[in-house]
Amino acid sequence: MTMTVPVAQMRIARDINEAEKALDEALIRQSSLFTTMVSARLETGGEPFLGHEALLRLAKSQQALLEAGGNLARVH
């Protein structure tokens, strides 16, 4: 049995919506992690640039998620 066009459209719309929500959730979690990392450095009296490389990599990861979101929006 083959999938009908209306069913395919509904499934695609559902899956795009879920993928968009997942990207937003990942951005929120990464933002929380970024905040926690900087707060930990401040609250433990760490050196001003402690973990700087890790923060840069996390920021790159956030940028990649933003770009992925833009590309996913173009799927519509």
Side-chain angles (χ1 to χ4, degrees):
M1 180 175 182
T2 59
M3 187 184 309
T4 65
V5 171
V7 170
Q9 290 170 330
M10 287 174 38
R11 288 181 182 176
I12 291 167
R14 177 199 63 209
D15 289 349
I16 287 175
N17 203 359
E18 288 178 6
E20 290 169 339
K21 287 179 185 177
L23 279 172
D24 282 345
E25 182 63 30
L27 280 168
I28 289 168
R29 289 176 186 260
Q30 284 193 342
S31 295
S32 178
L33 173 59
F34 198 96
T35 299
T36 300
M37 290 169 69
V38 174
S39 295
R41 179 172 65 192
L42 284 172
E43 293 175 19
T44 61
E47 296 295 318
F49 293 101
L50 180 66
H52 187 74
E53 188 67 32
L55 289 169
L56 286 173
R57 289 181 185 187
L58 181 56
K60 258 188 175 177
S61 177
Q62 289 173 312
Q63 178 69 32
L65 282 176
L66 288 169
E67 289 173 8
N71 287 323
L72 185 57
R74 290 181 189 93
V75 172
H76 285 269

